[in-house]
Amino acid sequence: MPRPRTPLLSTERIAEAAMELVDEGEPFGVNAIARRLGVTPSSLYNHVAGRDEIVELMRGRLGEQYLPPAIEGTWDVVVEEMLRAERRMYAEHPFLIPLIVGKTITDPTVIASYDLLATALSGAGFPDDDVLEIVAILDAFSIGFGLDLASPDEIWRPETPTTTLGRLVESSPRGAPRSDRAFEAGLEMLLDGLRLRLARTELD
């Protein structure tokens, strides 16, 4: 029998199967991935060291699919475009978030996206001591708003009398329009705060 032209397994196929399982809300692990691919668990170890490496492969696939490799413009343009891309990434793969935030980032594509942010912020004049803190804040912002976009259309349903919340919920948009509106407001506040911080730094 002739050998297949392409191998039955590869890191790409393993990562794709793993992402399918996670996106579907199925249990994630080496055994589950092997069942999805129709192979034995031991055969996966010819391509990956274990669960942690698979998580990092999934992170890398997300980075390749969503994160811009380069952004032209000032530091605030870089921040805005990156946050929009990350929000979409997290919103479309919310079940992956607990896995990727629980593991140290090593994937080259994702590291490059963080370096893009850090370089833009440092080049704009933010002190080195502040840059990683700002990057962490941006991370939390994009993850939070990604989960917000992935959340149910109806966020609040007061079943007991409220002083203000119930009235506001009744008169406010729901679903993606509500999330988009909140994201745009939050982005404006975040960028304004960073501009103010930078201006204060320049005065010191």
Side-chain angles (χ1 to χ4, degrees), residues 161-167:
T162 63
T163 302
T164 304
L165 181 65
R167 172 176 58 81

Side-chain angles (χ1 to χ4, degrees), residues 52-63:
D52 282 353
E53 185 176 346
I54 296 171
V55 171
E56 201 61 13
L57 288 172
M58 290 191 289
R59 191 202 307 275
R61 285 182 64 85
L62 288 182

Side-chain angles (χ1 to χ4, degrees), residues 134-188:
I134 295 170
V135 169
I137 292 168
L138 298 178
D139 250 0
F141 184 89
S142 61
I143 290 172
F145 272 106
L147 290 173
D148 183 69
L149 183 57
S151 62
D153 285 350
E154 190 175 24
I155 300 295
W156 303 279
R157 184 190 296 166
E159 296 182 348
T160 55
T162 63
T163 302
T164 304
L165 181 65
R167 172 176 58 81
L168 297 179
V169 167
E170 286 299 317
S171 61
S172 297
R174 289 172 168 76
R178 177 206 57 77
S179 182
D180 290 345
R181 181 175 172 180
F183 173 77
E184 295 299 334
L187 180 60
E188 181 180 1

Side-chain angles (χ1 to χ4, degrees), residues 96-166:
L96 271 170
I97 294 175
L99 296 173
I100 61 177
V101 300
K103 183 183 179 304
T104 301
I105 302 167
T106 60
D107 178 79
T109 298
V110 178
I111 289 291
S113 74
Y114 281 106
D115 186 50
L116 179 63
L117 272 176
T119 301
L121 293 167
S122 180
F126 287 96
D128 285 354
D129 290 345
D130 291 352
V131 169
L132 287 183
E133 294 177 1
I134 295 170
V135 169
I137 292 168
L138 298 178
D139 250 0
F141 184 89
S142 61
I143 290 172
F145 272 106
L147 290 173
D148 183 69
L149 183 57
S151 62
D153 285 350
E154 190 175 24
I155 300 295
W156 303 279
R157 184 190 296 166
E159 296 182 348
T160 55
T162 63
T163 302
T164 304
L165 181 65

Side-chain angles (χ1 to χ4, degrees), residues 1 30 64 79 98 111 123 143 150 156 186 188 202:
M1 178 180 295
V30 172
E64 292 168 0
V79 168
I111 289 291
I143 290 172
W156 303 279
E188 181 180 1
E202 293 170 345

Side-chain angles (χ1 to χ4, degrees), residues 57-105:
L57 288 172
M58 290 191 289
R59 191 202 307 275
R61 285 182 64 85
L62 288 182
E64 292 168 0
Q65 293 171 6
Y66 291 92
L67 301 180
I71 301 173
E72 296 294 332
T74 56
W75 70 268
D76 46 354
V77 171
V78 174
V79 168
E80 179 175 348
E81 289 194 24
M82 192 66 73
L83 288 178
R84 292 188 187 281
E86 290 179 350
R87 178 191 180 222
R88 177 170 165 258
M89 176 178 72
Y90 293 130
E92 294 181 2
H93 301 278
F95 295 141
L96 271 170
I97 294 175
L99 296 173
I100 61 177
V101 300
K103 183 183 179 304
T104 301
I105 302 167

